[in-house]
């Protein structure tokens, strides 16, 4: 028998996923193998990876909790109420969302499953979802896995990758159900501006759509750009499911703790099926997350480090002939246009060989990602090593062999 | 606007979920409130809850890992290779499955999301799934959440809740895609016998179906009943996705670590979309799970305790007039027929009021669950307290008020 024929149509043909350059059914071991080859990983969106990076006060709480022996037990699928209370406080202060922790917050085992779940409760077979391009790969694949269709909407490249409402309008059909936004955008680092988001909100409301927003990178926004949470815009609370994470901003990726904010009616369904789709979130990590929210200042030096590194990245890659880079607006990565050198997959593979550094091919982030690389400058514990590694890449790129016929 | 109209048809109407007796959008806080009311929880399938229960050798490994500072980082969505290697060894020894840890094992954040994912990769809109009744509630709801239909197949109650292949045959249609089995069965504790599973396998193969098996309770099987992993039966490896957990057998529910075993072709899709549907599993918990698999003898006294308690449960509840109970074959709960007393929801609520104990209404486990309660005798750290709590329930049940007209 050919088991492949037994797979759901939604999953048939799925392979790889997280990175394009993997062996089938072997996601990640490709990267493990690179590790053995002394390749530095700058394609792994995990602050300071692989160096130690748990703040002392969080360590202490977690060690105490292990010693007291409780974390072998479940916390309810909706999440620790104590953690939801901390999250509610943060949502009010940072996101201008005033919500009831008992009704409007769901703790998720990371924001990836949270993002999937947010789309799952909205999408029916045949629905269409408008996805800015480039953006996070899951925005394109998740709708397909749910029997819906992701419709790519090109961002306005010449206008700093802002949302092009005319392009949204052009992609709209009677089947359009929702817009999915990564904000700040990954991989472009774009922080969508207030006026841009207001026009998007108007489009969503006028066309009776829903909005899913992934705000995983909201904590590292630079140059005093105003950060707006779309759910806080007039008329948008009931239309928006917002997905958050402690992986990026707090640098606690391995904890797998995310959270979702949405209105009561959406949460009725999300709480009700949480044990089905998500199970529950890790108990000890939730207790650690409470400690993180109680004393969140530990992230200040992280942001300073990312700020320093982005400026260095801009300087280092900007100096390579044929390479274009804009100053990153957010996050701990940069989006580099290498189309002047050649095909981005070729350039990525060249960097593994010549500079012993692995980065992400822009092709994973949508059609508009072609010709680009995403380089995570936030990897590695020391700024110095991160900068040296970027210099090593730049030195290799300067020597990038000319294409045939050039 | 009525946001409810924006929800996916699959999720519309979902509420509650884990337990029937909850406030909308408030799953679990009902139980928290009970805790404040000094109600003992015997409806929470979490060994020794809420008492401390992490083995010392696992504590030590986890504390060391926290101190070294790595667990803030991700492990690949397919899971720690070191853990998959331990799991492969266990699958060979216990389940007679000889698999490649790099290709046939996926670590999941608990077995609930694993079970959902196993169904997701198989089911298309309109497919039908045959689900033995009674069984785990997710077996019924998960297919609906995926746009498919769960078709209830009554178990042979007079034959110890074994699989009734005639009933399966009667439920078969041209849309039947798969059978979902919880084995040992939850809530009936039934360990399906080899000859019974062989007939099921024959049915699956003959009708070109797939099989999803949830083996969360495989570690506690009593009375030397032979435990058979259906995937190990001839012709079944490629037709079976098997879902496992360290929550029940190892008593590490709060770790949220499960695993799935399946053939290469299925794993191509499961690895490829793991980051979408599951995200990744908690890093520290995977490191703790490695320690658990390295020295798994700590579960021996757990099994002895569950064995002692099931016998006590059988004796205690069996002595109540109007209550029927069979000796549990597996797990750390019992399945009690209270239909001689009255409606099971009424009896459940009565126990909260009169005995200050919360248990599960059998109605959550399928149509055949009506008139039953699931009582988790494996809660509470001390056997003595567990037995005293069951006696308190029995004393209350003896005084259960006669119905009108009796």
């Amino acid at each position: 028998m050919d088991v492949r024929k037994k797979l759901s149509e939604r999953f048939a043909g799925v392979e790889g996923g997280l990175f394009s350059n993997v062996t089938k059914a072997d996601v990640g071991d490709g990267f493990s193998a690179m590790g053995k080859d002394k390749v530095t990983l700058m394609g792994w969106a995990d602050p300071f990876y692989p160096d130690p990076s748990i703040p002392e006060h969080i360590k202490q709480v977690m060690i105490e909790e292990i010693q007291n022996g409780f974390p072998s037990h479940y916390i309810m699928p909706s999440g620790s109420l104590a953690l939801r209370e901390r999250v509610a406080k943060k949502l009010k202060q940072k996101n201008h969302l005033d919500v009831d922790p008992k009704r409007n917050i769901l703790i998720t085992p990371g924001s990836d499953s949270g993002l999937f779940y947010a789309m799952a409760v909205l999408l029916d077979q045949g629905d269409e979802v408008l996805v800015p391009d480039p953006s996070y790969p899951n925005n394109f694949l998740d709708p397909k896995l749910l029997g819906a269709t992701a419709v790519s909407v090109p961002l306005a490249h010449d206008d700093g990758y802002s949302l092009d409402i005319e392009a949204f309008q052009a992609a709209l059909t009677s089947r359009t159900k929702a817009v999915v936004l990564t904000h700040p955008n990954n991989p472009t680092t774009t922080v969508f501006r207030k006026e841009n988001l207001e026009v998007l909100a108007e489009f969503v409301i006028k066309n009776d759509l829903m909005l899913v927003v992934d705000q995983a990178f909201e904590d590292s926004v630079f140059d005093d750009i105003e950060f707006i949470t779309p759910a806080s815009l007039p008329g948008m609370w009931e239309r928006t499911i917002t997905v958050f994470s402690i992986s990026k901003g707090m640098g606690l990726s391995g904890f797998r703790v995310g959270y979702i904010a949405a209105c009561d009616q959406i949460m009725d369904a999300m709480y009700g099926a949480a044990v089905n789709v998500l199970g529950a979130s890790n108990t000890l990590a939730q207790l650690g997350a409470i400690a993180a929210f109680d004393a969140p200042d530990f992230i200040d030096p992280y942001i300073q480090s990312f700020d320093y590194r982005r400026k260095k990245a801009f300087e280092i890659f900007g100096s390579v002939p044929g390479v274009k880079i804009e100053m990153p607006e957010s996050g701990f990565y940069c989006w580099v246009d290498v189309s002047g050198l050649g095909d981005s997959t070729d350039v990525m593979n060249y960097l593994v060989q010549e500079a012993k550094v692995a980065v992400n091919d822009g092709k994973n982030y949508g059609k508009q990602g072609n010709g680009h690389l995403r380089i995570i400058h936030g990897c590695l514990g020391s700024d110095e090593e991160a900068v040296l590694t970027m210099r090593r890449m730049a030195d290799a790129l300067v020597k990038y062999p000319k294409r045939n016929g050039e």
Side-chain angles (χ1 to χ4, degrees), chain A:
Chain A
M1 76 178 279
D2 183 358
V3 181
R4 268 172 283 246
K5 290 188 182 147
K6 288 293 175 187
L7 289 174
S8 158
E9 284 173 18
R10 301 179 298 221
F11 282 83
V14 166
E15 57 178 80
L18 190 58
F19 301 101
S20 53
N21 187 22
V22 294
T23 311
K24 285 196 83 177
D26 187 31
V27 177
D29 295 334
F31 267 112
S32 307
M34 283 184 187
K36 286 177 198 142
D37 235 10
K38 300 203 174 156
V39 170
T40 306
L41 200 50
M42 282 203 155
W44 194 231
D46 179 343
F48 314 120
Y49 180 89
D51 294 321
S53 62
I54 311 180
E56 284 304 322
H57 72 290
I58 300 176
K59 280 185 181 178
Q60 279 183 18
V61 165
M62 290 174 77
I63 289 171
E64 280 164 27
E65 294 288 354
I66 290 174
Q67 278 163 341
N68 84 27
F70 179 78
S72 53
H73 299 302
Y74 287 118
I75 288 177
M76 272 284 171
S78 46
S80 152
L81 186 55
L83 176 55
R84 283 185 278 155
E85 283 164 355
R86 301 306 193 285
V87 166
K89 199 174 139 194
K90 174 264 172 188
L91 288 174
K92 189 166 185 178
Q93 287 172 349
K94 182 178 179 70
N95 306 100
H96 308 296
L97 298 176
D98 196 354
V99 308
D100 180 350
K102 285 195 175 178
R103 287 193 61 83
N104 303 119
I105 296 169
L106 171 69
I107 307 297
T108 64
S111 68
D112 281 310
S113 54
L115 181 62
F116 178 83
Y117 195 31
M119 294 195 215
V121 297
L122 294 178
L123 301 182
D124 281 309
Q125 177 105 353
D127 283 348
E128 292 176 1
V129 183
L130 304 181
V131 181
D133 179 348
S135 71
Y136 188 51
N138 291 24
N139 296 345
F140 299 99
L141 184 53
D142 286 4
K144 177 178 187 300
L145 299 179
L146 291 160
T149 303
V151 178
S152 168
V153 181
L155 290 171
H157 180 250
D158 292 340
D159 199 13
Y161 287 113
S162 64
L163 301 165
D164 177 354
I165 300 301
E166 283 180 23
F168 277 89
Q169 194 69 50
L172 187 75
T173 75
S174 61
R175 311 213 70 157
T176 307
K177 181 71 170 281
V179 173
V180 173
L181 201 64
T182 302
H183 170 54
N185 195 21
N186 172 5
T188 62
T189 79
T190 315
V191 180
F192 299 112
R193 302 303 198 270
K194 188 177 184 188
E195 48 278 25
N196 202 209
L197 290 170
E198 283 170 345
V199 180
L200 178 74
E202 194 187 328
F203 171 82
V204 165
I205 293 168
K206 190 177 127 200
N207 296 294
D208 197 20
L209 306 179
M210 298 295 287
L211 177 65
V212 174
V213 186
D214 174 0
Q215 299 191 180
F217 287 96
E218 66 174 14
D219 282 321
S220 47
V221 169
F222 302 113
D223 302 325
D224 296 321
I225 301 171
E226 186 186 20
F227 182 77
I228 299 291
T229 298
S232 71
L233 294 175
M236 288 303 289
W237 167 240
E238 287 199 320
R239 293 196 179 271
T240 307
I241 304 180
T242 313
V243 179
F244 302 88
S245 167
I246 68 167
S247 297
K248 312 303 184 190
M250 289 181 158
L252 298 170
S253 316
F255 282 32
R256 315 309 304 128
V257 174
Y259 51 100
I260 290 177
C263 70
D264 293 17
Q265 291 79 1
I266 291 171
M267 275 297 172
D268 280 349
M270 294 196 101
Y271 281 16
V275 70
N276 299 75
V277 181
L278 303 172
S281 298
N282 180 283
T283 296
L284 183 63
Q286 292 189 69
L287 299 169
I290 291 171
F293 279 106
D294 279 344
D297 293 349
F298 69 92
I299 77 165
D300 295 344
Y302 294 6
I303 309 296
Q304 284 163 26
S305 171
F306 301 152
D307 188 21
Y308 171 76
R309 295 183 189 194
R310 77 176 172 125
K311 287 170 180 161
K312 284 288 175 188
F314 178 71
E315 174 194 315
I316 291 168
F317 296 114
S319 71
V320 178
V323 169
K324 284 187 270 185
I325 179 174
E326 302 290 328
M327 180 65 82
E329 292 185 350
S330 70
F332 44 81
Y333 49 84
C334 56
W335 183 239
V336 183
D337 180 349
V338 294
S339 60
L341 297 180
D343 176 79
S344 53
T345 311
D346 290 343
V347 178
M348 177 187 73
N349 289 331
Y350 169 83
L351 284 172
V352 173
Q353 293 302 319
E354 296 299 316
K356 298 279 179 199
V357 185
V359 301
N360 303 119
D361 186 354
K363 290 175 187 171
N364 294 321
Y365 302 86
K367 292 170 202 160
Q368 307 295 317
N370 208 340
H372 291 73
L373 298 177
R374 187 184 74 155
I375 299 173
I376 315 273
H377 60 64
C379 287
L380 302 170
S382 104
D383 289 347
E384 192 186 354
E385 201 187 341
V387 169
L388 285 174
T389 308
M390 290 194 283
R391 287 225 170 95
R392 202 164 81 221
M393 278 191 272
D395 290 346
L397 289 174
V398 166
K399 290 180 263 176
Y400 191 77
K402 289 210 191 306
R403 302 293 85 194
N404 293 333
E406 286 181 18

